Amino acid sequence: MTKRILILGGTEDARALAELLNEETNCEVITSLAGRTSQPAEQAGTVRVGGFGGADPLEGYLRENEVDLLIDATHPYAAQISANAARASAGADVPCFRLERPAWAALDADNWIHVKTAEEAAAALPTGARALVTVGTGGLAPFLERLDIHVTARVIERPAEPPMPPHKIMVARPPFALEDELLLMRTEHITHLVSKNSGGKKMAPKIAAARELAIPVVMLDRPKLPEIETARNLNHALAIMGRLLA
Ligand code: NAP
């Protein structure tokens, strides 16, 4: 019998998983997007857009749509939807696992300043710093409030309000090549990189560029998420799926 799978998405991994399941299995795949991005990348299978209204309505969605498996493939910093997913799957008695890339780790020579919030990250920048800030549009406010530093904020979605000089916004969508990251950091005379630890098998070019230029990285550490079974890559996800749907 065809199994119905709900993927909570918004990440490259969620897109890749939907494509793989669509091509390689006879599962019916629905990907759920929050609707933050005005032009989301193309996606295999069915797509639904917008919040559910909390954990209880998500539980209702799982029941009403007879979902057989829930996969939380949201970004590691999307803590609310992950908490809702864990609660809703338990409530609806639908198996659930997370697909999450392993975090990047600093090498000995790296200078990473670990922080927990965007506020702490902004406070960690010294007066006069020229920071490349790559934490998404939502986390920019504490950086843009600092008028004693110079922020270049790279975002996918332009914020509603333009920032006050000397700050500037760069709208760009990954992936970025190492040479381009090096060029950007050199031409903007970047002294600090601010990043989330999005993770992945390969270190992101921005982190590699900061390493090459000996630029300190203010790293927002990952929030704590519910303890559920976690796949580290697509093959691992397929193996877990096979077991949960058997
Ligand atoms: P969040 O704080 O965990 O979620 C806030 C609310 O947004 C959730 O309670 C839920 O609303 C809705 N939501 C989030 N993801 C959803 C999904 N896939 N489908 C339906 N509703 C969703 O999440 P966030 O940090 O704002 O991130 C929003 C989306 O952007 C996520 O899907 C995530 O994968 C993606 N993303 C986030 C980041 C990041 O750094 N946070 C980076 C890249 C991509 P209801 O409670 O109403 O259901």
Side-chain angles (χ1 to χ4, degrees):
M1 212 176 73
T2 303
K3 300 287 188 183
R4 185 170 292 151
I5 300 181
L6 177 64
I7 301 176
L8 298 173
T11 60
E12 187 50 48
D13 285 342
R15 271 195 295 281
L17 181 63
E19 196 174 313
L20 184 71
L21 297 183
N22 221 38
E23 279 173 8
E24 307 278 329
T25 72
N26 67 348
C27 295
E28 184 190 333
V29 180
I30 306 167
T31 299
S32 173
L33 302 176
R36 301 277 192 279
T37 313
S38 50
Q39 289 181 314
E42 234 174 80
Q43 179 92 42
T46 304
V47 176
R48 69 158 298 285
V49 181
F52 295 91
D56 291 342
L58 175 55
E59 178 182 328
Y61 181 97
L62 296 175
R63 288 182 197 283
E64 281 153 31
N65 292 279
E66 297 178 346
V67 171
D68 296 296
L69 175 66
L70 176 63
I71 304 177
D72 175 10
T74 57
H75 195 269
Y77 289 78
Q80 185 59 56
I81 189 70
S82 290
N84 292 356
R87 235 183 79 191
S89 69
D93 200 18
V94 168
C96 173
F97 71 92
R98 186 181 307 129
L99 171 59
E100 185 184 281
R101 299 171 172 207
W104 300 312
L107 298 183
D108 282 351
D110 288 337
N111 178 4
W112 286 13
I113 301 151
H114 292 273
V115 294
K116 292 206 169 356
T117 62
E119 287 71 18
E120 271 184 45
L125 295 168
T127 294
R130 294 180 63 87
L132 175 59
V133 178
T134 61
V135 297
T137 313
L140 286 182
F143 299 94
L144 301 181
E145 279 163 13
R146 292 264 318 260
L147 297 180
D148 60 328
I149 61 173
H150 184 292
V151 172
T152 299
R154 186 166 67 193
V155 291
I156 293 178
E157 288 288 308
R158 187 177 292 284
E161 295 284 316
M164 295 273 285
H167 305 318
K168 61 180 175 194
I169 298 287
M170 261 183 78
V171 180
R173 196 182 273 270
F176 305 107
L178 177 60
E179 315 79 81
D180 295 333
E181 299 293 44
L182 287 167
L183 184 67
L184 171 66
M185 289 182 192
R186 285 190 177 117
T187 51
E188 292 293 330
H189 306 287
I190 296 300
T191 61
H192 294 74
L193 169 67
V194 183
S195 177
K196 289 180 174 174
N197 195 333
S198 300
K201 250 197 276 169
K202 277 182 26 191
M203 188 64 89
K206 63 182 171 183
I207 307 286
R211 177 175 297 151
E212 196 166 322
L213 300 175
I215 289 172
V217 178
V218 179
M219 184 62 84
L220 258 98
D221 287 332
R222 291 181 172 190
K224 201 167 160 33
L225 298 181
E227 286 179 12
I228 63 168
E229 184 167 20
T230 299
R232 293 304 184 190
N233 54 48
L234 294 184
N235 282 339
H236 192 187
L238 286 181
I240 295 176
M241 270 183 61
R243 175 165 46 75
L244 294 179
L245 291 176

